[in-house]
Amino acid sequence: MEKVSDPGKTNAIIAYITLIGWIIALVLNNNNKTSLASFHIRQMLGIMLVGLSISIIISITGIGLLSILQIGTLILWILGLIGAINEEEKPVPVVGEHFQKWFAGL
């Protein structure tokens, strides 16, 4: 038998496509909430905030070595997107569980 796709899969994937995609996924998910989409919306919000924070710290301090952390943020984004494509509610390493707690209202 063919696997039936979760209706939230599209919204979960859209959430990982830029800030605009995240906003679209959030609005669409508010109309028809699914566990999968909500999970990935929270994950992507956290990833975006981590990336923004690192960028701000780099611009203030001028410490270019922190760019390594930006590569880590990219890796988190890739892992999150792969999870959405595979319809998994698997948190990204290190910070994913925190994102689920902190943004539980989404």
Side-chain angles (χ1 to χ4, degrees):
M1 279 192 99
E2 189 174 318
K3 184 179 179 184
V4 177
S5 180
D6 183 337
K9 179 179 181 179
T10 303
N11 290 345
I13 294 170
I14 290 172
Y16 288 96
I17 303 174
T18 73
L19 176 61
I20 294 170
W22 182 84
I23 292 169
I24 291 169
L26 181 64
V27 170
L28 292 174
N29 193 53
N30 281 337
N31 294 334
N32 184 19
K33 279 205 185 279
T34 66
S35 172
L36 182 68
S38 296
F39 178 87
H40 286 285
I41 287 169
R42 290 188 293 268
Q43 291 290 287
M44 186 55 185
L45 176 58
I47 292 168
M48 286 188 297
L49 292 174
V50 165
L52 178 64
S53 300
I54 292 168
S55 295
I56 290 170
I57 292 169
I58 289 171
S59 67
I60 291 172
T61 63
I63 300 174
L65 289 175
L66 292 175
S67 296
I68 293 170
L69 295 176
Q70 288 179 318
I71 294 170
T73 304
L74 175 64
I75 292 169
L76 293 179
W77 176 81
I78 291 169
L79 292 172
L81 179 60
I82 290 170
I85 291 168
N86 291 331
E87 299 182 47
E88 298 173 340
E89 291 186 19
K90 183 178 174 186
V92 294
V94 182
V95 289
E97 289 291 337
H98 297 292
F99 296 159
Q100 293 303 310
K101 292 176 192 169
W102 296 338
F103 309 123
L106 293 179

